[in-house]
Amino acid sequence: MSQAIAIAHSNIALAKYWGKANVEQNLTAVPSLSMTLDALSTRTEVYFDPALSEDELQLDGKQQSGRTKLRVSQLLDRIRAKADTVCRARVISSNNFPTAAGLASSASGFAALAMAASSAAGLRLSSAEISSLSRASSASAARSVFGAYVALNARALSAEPVLNPDEFPLAMLVAVTAKGPKKVGSTEGMTRTAQTSPYYQAWLDRAPAVYDRIRVALLEKQFEALGEAVEESAMMMHASMLAAKPAIRYFRDVTIAAMQRVEDLRDQGIPAYYTMDAGPHVKVLTLPEHAEVVERELRSVAQIQDVISCRPGPAAYLIGDAKVSEAK
Ligand code: PMV
């Protein structure tokens, strides 16, 4: 039996991707750029065990079946093919945040799984190869293999680091607005947007220029220019979804209230900018010196359940020495 344990951190896109250039290979249609978050992580243990007749998945203490387990087995199959083994695996994974709350658990989850499983299978892969394996399961997971600020180009196989955390320390406040799993998953949402939204093509046409502005503002450490483009990227993406049939609407009243509070803070001279993914939560980008006051303001918005204060997080890593013995 061979085993390994890995930890990967979640990430939030500053420049969003929405839409696939190739569904089968899971290649993204537009470039994206994210911040890896220190406070949100997944820890995954993988044991390849010849005694198992099928893969097993335990997530946050609960045995899983159905689509969640299938997606894990599909990643394990890709690793088994590379390692030339048919051995099944036991996967034990836990998030340090509520899985069902839609806080990008697939990003940290698949990155941790790709890293732990490839190591347990005896493969010694580069970060780019682990990122590519993660991307095939969930494109945002490709970015969680790296720390701090990370880019994933359109149609790219793997993500790449853009900037170290100490070069531009920013704060991301994750305002948890509602519990429960999201109604429309990201893959389904992207397909529906591509097939039915008259604004999808406009999104594809404009997203690369917004990505470029975000990348340049980050590299030049221009916070206001960065924040403005971050909001634009998220709102353009959501506009394309809102025009789908039926509309894909992740906004709730609390989401709008949190965004309004961020705009009010800006009017008072506090630089803070919101972004939002395929769920009702609001993530607020600010400078570290303003993080405390922005967190306090978000906490005072009725219905906001929690605020998680994040800084740029580390790349995914293995814990301890993987005891790799011969898998029979
Ligand atoms: O790659 P997925 O299926 O986790 O989709 C991610 C989609 C967004 O979070 C909305 C945008 C992004 O770039 O992370």
Side-chain angles (χ1 to χ4, degrees), residues 189-222:
M190 287 179 208
T191 307
R192 194 195 299 171
T193 307
Q195 287 174 351
T196 66
S197 171
Y199 298 160
Y200 182 62
Q201 191 56 48
W203 158 251
L204 294 184
D205 293 343
R206 306 282 171 110
V210 180
Y211 163 88
D212 285 343
R213 278 166 51 206
I214 288 173
R215 193 181 171 108
V216 168
L218 191 72
L219 291 171
E220 291 182 350
K221 303 174 186 80
Q222 301 283 346

Side-chain angles (χ1 to χ4, degrees), residues 11-20 26 28 31-34 71 104 106-107 135 137-143 152 182 185-187 190 237-238 241 250 276-279 283:
N11 74 75
I12 298 296
L14 304 177
K16 305 294 182 193
Y17 109 80
W18 191 253
K20 319 262 188 202
N26 205 29
T28 62
S32 60
L33 195 156
S34 58
R71 287 182 75 191
S106 73
R135 179 208 33 83
S137 292
S138 164
S140 59
R143 302 184 308 234
L152 177 67
K182 52 190 169 197
S186 53
T187 303
M190 287 179 208
M237 177 184 79
H238 282 280
M241 299 183 208
Y250 291 111
M276 189 191 157
D277 295 285
K283 292 103 182 195

